[in-house]
Amino acid sequence: MKLIQPIIPQNQQFYNSQENFLLHNWEKDASGELDLKAICVFCALGFFLDDDTYYKNIKVVKPSTTLVLEGDKIVSASTNFKWHYNPREITFNETVNEFTELFEKIIAEQTKDKYVILPLSGGLDSRTQAVALRNHQEKVFAYSYQFKNGINENKYGEAIAKALHFKFKKFEIEKGYLWKVIDELASINHCFSDFTSPRQMAFLDEYPAMGDVFSLGHWGDVLFDSMGLNEEADFETQLRVLLKKIVKKGGMELGQSLWQAWGLAGDFQSYLTERVSVLLDGIKISNANARIRAFKSMYWAPRWTSVNLAVFEQVRPITLPYYDDRMCRFICTIPEAHLAARKIQIEYIKRHSHEVAKIAWQAQHPYHLFNYHHNKLPYNLGYRVADKLKREMNKLAGKKLIQRNWELQFLGKENDINLRHCLFDNPQLSQVIPTEVIEKYYKKFKLEDSVYWSHAVSMLLTISLKLNYQI
């Protein structure tokens, strides 16, 4: 029997690395020693690196791996795909034509004879999917959400749905919803991600009535854009840029504090840098942008992005056109010049739905796909002045604009009671992480810079929930 992991796996497959057999219920079988080094890295990045888990003897099968099995015993393992960069001599027009054919074929296969649940945002990935589903409007139920007292993000999804004649529903993320669902969420994502990122958890009961299958746009923004480097950037530059992309604010400090509290040898920052360096060096791609894209697709997508897909899967099957192996292989053959600046998706949308392309692109608001190039001085001066004036008036009126989910889930009296309970009333947590470390980052979050230290508090909360159920 063979088990073949996709290029970007949707689900984590665990195995016991000491006895070399697959685990169908890994938490039930996890009785080994906590991997303290891996947990330090988890706190810094927000995801476990490479094949790490909470335990030394439990590992994750790596992407693009083929396992030969006898029962659950792993007989052999081999790599079935390596990320590469072999650009063809192909025009941009030909590239868009090929993308169109491939993308619409994948979408059609994934949604055949199904009623589709389509999350829409102000970005390009879901908009591209919406256009691909333009001829099946009777089978699409779209939705979007925004923060309570936040930016009106629902207007983008509503406009796209209206242009394509989709059913549409808008949601608002309420303050403090997390504490009502946190136990269920911990059982869904197994505490491999923080709890404020999967905002879809706020509306879990709404999805079943909307359709048969989700069509999700995850990872399109990574595959169809540049990483912002000179293509000939040296290795040290690549490493520095990559670390800046993956290490969260306050994450390095928390990792270092835990490293010291646990008496681990050496220096945490050096350890993390060396691990990332080795993994990056193992990707034999000369183009700096393609190499970092490959790194993120190998180590970030499966261990962070994929983790919270389980929330969608809890209620309906999921499909991910950008995760498809054929899409990953296609990307490896496309010149970086065509991939940069989201050009392929933009051109696809413009060609196939002029009306959707005319809807404002949130990242370039108020500009759309035909004129976003004018989002610079002096063209956007009037908008920038008006926007600044509006923000200043809101400040004077005492209106706080909510931009991040943790602001709704961690701030305020009731939220703080729940947060403190999880951090300070859990004996399992204090057995592993010294109370003074927890207190240090909680105080930094409350008294110093809540934006900078929110990640650290969120990771301590995640570990608390994990240890509350199993140590």
Side-chain angles (χ1 to χ4, degrees), residues 225-402:
D225 201 0
S226 169
M227 299 296 108
L229 279 79
N230 182 306
E231 64 179 33
E232 297 179 356
D234 62 28
F235 183 81
E236 292 305 316
T237 299
Q238 294 176 37
L239 180 61
R240 183 176 67 253
V241 169
L242 179 58
L243 286 167
K244 187 175 180 180
K245 287 178 180 290
I246 65 176
V247 176
K248 301 295 189 292
K249 293 177 180 177
M252 189 68 78
E253 293 90 336
L254 176 58
Q256 182 65 31
S257 291
L258 294 175
W259 191 274
Q260 292 173 345
W262 290 331
L264 300 174
D267 172 73
F268 171 64
Q269 185 168 347
S270 299
Y271 171 79
L272 175 57
T273 301
E274 177 62 20
R275 282 204 64 187
V276 174
S277 176
V278 169
L279 294 175
L280 183 63
D281 188 56
I283 301 172
K284 303 306 179 183
I285 296 176
S286 59
N287 185 287
N289 291 292
R291 191 183 212 175
I292 290 182
R293 182 185 298 109
F295 181 98
K296 293 177 71 174
S297 299
M298 293 170 67
Y299 301 112
W300 189 339
R303 303 308 310 277
W304 189 82
T305 305
S306 293
V307 166
N308 289 314
L309 297 177
V311 175
F312 295 105
E313 281 189 299
Q314 190 73 6
V315 291
R316 285 290 182 263
I318 63 173
T319 62
L320 296 109
Y322 299 109
Y323 264 45
D324 192 281
D325 280 2
R326 290 166 290 181
M327 190 62 70
C328 295
R329 295 178 188 278
F330 172 74
I331 289 294
C332 292
T333 70
I334 301 303
E336 280 294 324
H338 296 348
L339 293 172
R342 315 298 296 275
K343 291 196 291 285
I344 295 174
Q345 290 170 304
I346 290 171
E347 182 61 22
Y348 170 79
I349 295 167
K350 287 162 63 175
R351 287 185 184 184
H352 298 285
S353 179
H354 185 276
E355 190 171 0
V356 170
K358 288 281 287 186
I359 296 167
W361 178 8
Q362 187 173 358
Q364 302 286 346
H365 189 84
Y367 297 90
H368 50 69
L369 303 192
F370 289 103
N371 66 2
Y372 68 94
H373 307 91
H374 290 163
N375 191 15
K376 59 184 179 181
L377 292 174
Y379 307 105
N380 63 359
L381 180 60
Y383 171 75
R384 291 176 62 175
V385 170
D387 186 59
K388 183 174 177 59
L389 181 61
K390 180 181 177 181
R391 285 186 277 114
E392 291 300 323
M393 290 177 67
N394 284 336
K395 280 184 183 179
L396 291 173
K399 294 181 180 179
K400 178 176 173 56
L401 182 67
I402 300 298

Side-chain angles (χ1 to χ4, degrees), residues 12 14-15 17 23 26-27 29-43 46-60 185-195 258 262 275 303-304 307 429 432-433 458-471:
Q12 300 183 106
F14 300 91
Y15 70 99
S17 60
L23 300 173
W26 75 273
E27 287 186 296
D29 297 320
S31 57
E33 181 182 356
L34 287 173
D35 191 337
L36 299 180
K37 291 183 177 180
I39 293 171
C40 288
V41 174
F42 177 52
C43 287
F47 60 90
F48 279 98
L49 188 60
D50 196 15
D51 59 358
D52 290 351
T53 72
Y54 283 97
Y55 302 92
K56 286 186 175 181
N57 66 325
I58 307 296
K59 299 295 182 182
V60 169
L185 180 53
S187 70
I188 292 173
N189 72 11
H190 303 288
C191 303
F192 276 97
S193 166
D194 73 279
F195 299 128
L258 294 175
W262 290 331
R275 282 204 64 187
R303 303 308 310 277
W304 189 82
V307 166
L429 179 64
V432 176
I433 299 179
S458 189
M459 297 312 296
L460 291 170
L461 173 64
T462 304
I463 294 172
S464 177
L465 266 288
K466 174 62 184 173
L467 296 176
N468 193 45
Y469 291 106
Q470 182 176 355
I471 194 166

Side-chain angles (χ1 to χ4, degrees), residues 444-464:
K444 283 180 174 291
F445 172 71
K446 296 295 289 186
L447 303 176
E448 295 182 16
D449 184 344
S450 59
V451 175
Y452 189 87
W453 297 111
S454 60
H455 170 78
V457 169
S458 189
M459 297 312 296
L460 291 170
L461 173 64
T462 304
I463 294 172
S464 177

Side-chain angles (χ1 to χ4, degrees), residues 86-91 95 98 330 332-335 338:
N86 292 297
R88 292 173 285 151
E89 291 187 4
I90 184 172
T91 67
T95 298
E98 287 191 16
F330 172 74
C332 292
T333 70
I334 301 303
H338 296 348

Side-chain angles (χ1 to χ4, degrees), residues 81-110:
F81 173 82
K82 289 186 178 181
W83 283 89
H84 58 93
Y85 179 59
N86 292 297
R88 292 173 285 151
E89 291 187 4
I90 184 172
T91 67
F92 180 68
N93 182 61
E94 291 170 334
T95 298
V96 175
N97 288 340
E98 287 191 16
F99 168 77
T100 300
E101 182 178 358
L102 176 60
F103 190 70
E104 294 192 350
K105 180 180 181 181
I106 292 171
I107 291 276
E109 290 175 358
Q110 292 180 342

